[in-house]
Amino acid sequence: MTDKIPYRDGVALQPKSLDTSRGIVTAALDKADLKAFKPGATIAVAGIGASLYAAQAATAQMRLQGLRAMAFPGTELYDPRIDVADVYVALSASGRSVEPAKAMEARPNAVTFGIAKAADTPLAKVVKTMIGTGSGADSGPNTTSYVGSLQALGLLADRIGTPSGADWTALPGKVEEVLALVVEPVRRAADLLTGRTSIDCVGAGLAFGTAGYAALLIREAVRAPAQNWDTLNFLHGPMEPNDGGTSVLLFGDGREVPLARDLAGFGIPTVLVTSRTDLKDAANLVVITVPALGTGLPDAILQALPAQLLTADMSEAVGLPVCEFRYRQTDTKLAVPAAA
């Protein structure tokens, strides 16, 4: 049995999913023993795939809230001699990803937490504390589980770090608003990017995680080569292969803005997702404006929405309305015990 739903349905379901998930995660955090997240404790968040990019965005925000937090691919923590944290958090949308689970299993004496869309997943067997997000039905590629993971980590960060000031109760309404707001600029962006030989996805801080998520969506659903880059690192050589046949998707309000103008001026198809309201489309440039809440991870969730819709438009344009893995591997998921 699967709870997978069509991709556009997953995108549209996110306001309701976030609303439901907030209550479930809040109740789980109320019951959890969070004393290990004491001031000065180091936190390692391990993920893989979309969960790794959620971990990158979340730990960037956690650091801004006074927490010593780092994101790792689960594979970097396979060796139990690697002692980098006081608390380890495994992030897996399905709760079945092998890599973060194996990283936790290698540390039976460590303080370990798991976050997945349900508490009764295989990941629960290898962590001390399990938090189910209750994000519900998900699509391929991941939609509800990705934003649900970000919200769960944000709610956790507000408990253990300096409060972000985020109004989590208002977030579902903002998501619904942005999904409607960006439809037309996303269509223009899809027209510009569809058919390009590659798409570089660029962002910094929290947006580096968003760029990674966007690149994964495009690779999975559009089957187009895409790669994420830190904004300033992108300037040190990685941008050189680009030309009129490639493209760049940027997320941000800072150095990304003049970079987007430069790239478009060089004749490179460019899309900029930004909260700035003083920017307009130009030759080779589409601007997608997403209102900023100014409170960290809610903004990361809102900035992910244009990437989701862009992926939907592009995948449909190339005749791939349904995401089906062609090269699925058999050793990436933990088995679910058969029902008695």
Side-chain angles (χ1 to χ4, degrees), residues 15-332:
K16 181 179 179 180
S17 173
L18 284 165
D19 194 37
T20 300
S21 179
R22 183 187 67 255
I24 293 171
V25 172
T26 297
L29 292 174
D30 286 343
K31 295 177 182 178
D33 183 356
L34 304 178
K35 290 194 298 291
F37 294 102
K38 59 188 182 229
T42 301
I43 306 161
V45 183
I48 205 75
S51 293
L52 173 59
Y53 304 125
Q56 290 173 340
T59 53
Q61 175 60 27
M62 286 177 165
R63 293 191 290 271
L64 294 175
Q65 293 180 237
L67 299 167
R68 301 179 64 183
M70 301 168 288
F72 293 90
T75 51
E76 290 191 10
L77 299 175
Y78 275 7
D79 191 327
R81 295 172 297 178
I82 298 173
D83 183 16
V84 296
D86 301 298
V87 184
Y88 293 85
V89 180
L91 192 62
S92 171
S94 65
R96 296 180 53 215
S97 296
V98 166
E99 296 82 5
K102 188 173 179 179
M104 300 302 107
E105 194 171 25
R107 292 163 176 78
N109 299 318
V111 178
T112 54
F113 285 72
I115 298 177
K117 66 179 185 177
D120 59 348
T121 56
L123 179 61
K125 296 181 179 180
V126 295
V127 297
K128 302 289 198 311
T129 302
M130 190 68 199
I131 296 172
T133 67
S135 57
D138 200 10
S139 58
N142 292 354
T143 49
T144 58
S145 64
Y146 178 78
V147 298
S149 294
L150 286 177
Q151 179 173 249
L153 287 166
L155 290 167
L156 172 63
D158 280 351
R159 295 285 185 105
I160 63 177
T162 303
S164 66
D167 183 356
W168 295 102
T169 62
L171 180 60
K174 291 295 184 182
V175 168
E176 193 163 18
E177 177 184 318
V178 170
L179 286 173
L181 178 68
V182 301
V183 168
E184 180 54 29
V186 163
R187 183 196 62 75
R188 297 196 302 272
D191 289 344
L192 185 64
L193 300 190
T194 299
R196 306 301 171 182
T197 57
S198 68
I199 303 174
D200 285 326
C201 301
V202 179
L206 281 74
F208 179 63
T210 306
Y213 175 58
L216 182 62
L217 291 177
I218 292 165
R219 292 184 73 92
E220 289 185 348
V222 187
R223 297 180 183 170
Q227 175 65 47
N228 61 312
W229 301 96
D230 171 79
T231 302
L232 296 184
N233 188 44
F234 187 63
L235 310 181
H236 289 261
M239 64 190 293
E240 287 303 310
N242 283 289
D243 56 27
T246 66
S247 58
V248 181
L249 171 61
L250 303 103
F251 299 86
D253 305 330
R255 184 64 175 87
E256 296 79 20
V257 174
L259 176 56
R261 289 171 172 155
D262 286 346
L263 292 166
F266 296 143
I268 300 166
T270 303
V271 173
L272 173 65
V273 178
T274 181
S275 67
R276 287 182 51 172
T277 58
D278 60 326
L279 305 173
K280 304 296 182 184
D281 289 4
N284 301 312
L285 175 63
V286 171
V287 177
I288 302 174
T289 302
V290 176
L293 300 177
T295 52
L297 286 173
D299 282 340
I301 289 171
L302 296 183
Q303 287 206 345
L305 304 177
Q308 293 173 343
L309 292 175
L310 178 63
T311 298
D313 282 1
M314 292 177 65
S315 64
E316 290 166 2
V318 298
L320 297 169
V322 178
C323 178
E324 296 285 354
F325 279 19
R326 293 180 291 178
Y327 312 121
R328 189 173 295 279
Q329 302 298 290
T330 59
D331 58 352
T332 63

